[in-house]
Amino acid sequence: MDKKAALQLSINAIVILILAITILGLGLGFIKSQFGALTEQFGAVSAEIKSSLIEKIKESGELLVFNRAEIDAKIGKPEEFYVGIKNTASAKEGSATICFRMGVKCVRALKPDNSCPGGEASLVGGVDVDGNPPEYGTWFSMFDQVDIRPGDVGVYPVKLQIAAASPDTYLMEFNVYKAESDTDCATAMWPADPSDTYQTKQFFIKVT
């Protein structure tokens, strides 16, 4: 009886193990398929946005465009938008691309008793023309400099996530600086005058 009981117990253990492995395999397969579907969906959305921004630049003649002109943001919750930059310059000999730097400034708050981090016109994302990052807090995660081929349009994601700010509407300014040397980012030289921007565009953020 003891041998039969032990044998039965071993068989039960093997069956349970097989069932566990099968269920685990099915679960992993389901997760993989869902993740793959989400990745494909994100890729399709990104491609659609890129195509839309390129078309917008062609129609408007602008060098800097957004897919969202006004953004509603909640404290701590990330929001994503895209920017498109057209390179109209010709690269210097030896460079296939031209380097551009990007930075976002908080110009001012709507309420008179409120202000941007660090005061008016403070950098809150990317870099300034000298490559300096934000000093008083970062609201935007983004590529701070990119290489774009002459005549091409570069489309890039920008993530907005505000850790702390007073509920208000903020006027923002997106600045793009072109390498003065018209070379790639590896050998780029930048304008001495910070006001010498390649393109500037303002937009609003409503923080709640």
Side-chain angles (χ1 to χ4, degrees):
M1 291 294 293
D2 290 340
K3 288 184 178 180
K4 283 187 177 181
L7 180 61
Q8 186 64 41
L9 186 62
S10 298
I11 293 172
N12 289 342
I14 292 170
V15 170
I16 291 171
L17 180 61
I18 292 171
L19 286 172
I21 292 172
T22 303
I23 292 170
L24 179 62
L26 290 172
L28 290 174
F30 176 76
I31 292 171
K32 184 178 179 181
S33 66
Q34 291 299 308
F35 181 77
L38 287 173
T39 302
E40 289 177 7
Q41 184 180 11
F42 177 77
V45 171
S46 298
E48 184 179 345
I49 291 173
K50 182 175 182 179
S51 177
S52 173
L53 287 178
I54 291 174
E55 191 62 31
K56 189 174 181 179
I57 284 177
K58 287 181 180 178
E59 291 177 356
S60 66
E62 295 180 278
L63 304 182
L64 173 64
V65 295
F66 308 141
N67 70 319
R68 298 170 67 180
E70 184 173 336
I71 303 171
D72 291 327
K74 294 184 181 296
I75 300 295
K77 182 181 177 182
E79 292 287 341
E80 189 173 61
F81 65 101
Y82 288 78
V83 299
I85 303 169
K86 182 174 182 179
N87 178 11
T88 59
S90 300
K92 294 289 186 182
E93 186 176 350
S95 294
T97 59
I98 296 176
C99 190
F100 291 84
R101 279 179 174 166
M102 297 183 284
V104 185
K105 290 181 180 180
C106 179
V107 178
R108 63 183 179 86
L110 178 63
K111 296 177 182 178
D113 58 344
N114 188 24
S115 63
C116 296
E120 304 302 303
S122 58
L123 189 70
V124 290
V127 294
D128 62 17
V129 68
D130 295 319
N132 299 312
E135 187 176 353
Y136 301 102
T138 301
W139 287 7
F140 296 86
S141 299
M142 54 194 284
F143 293 105
D144 51 19
Q145 63 181 33
V146 293
D147 280 310
I148 305 176
R149 292 181 178 276
D152 278 1
V153 175
V155 177
Y156 307 99
V158 179
K159 187 176 80 171
L160 166 66
Q161 188 165 10
I162 302 172
S166 299
D168 202 347
T169 298
Y170 295 85
L171 175 62
M172 313 301 297
E173 184 178 271
F174 198 106
N175 293 310
V176 179
Y177 306 96
K178 181 179 70 68
E180 193 173 47
S181 52
D182 285 344
T183 55
D184 58 28
C185 292
T187 58
M189 296 175 62
W190 299 95
D193 185 357
S195 65
D196 188 12
T197 56
Y198 177 75
Q199 196 66 209
T200 296
K201 186 180 284 289
Q202 293 186 335
F203 62 103
F204 293 96
I205 294 175
K206 185 178 180 181
V207 179
T208 56

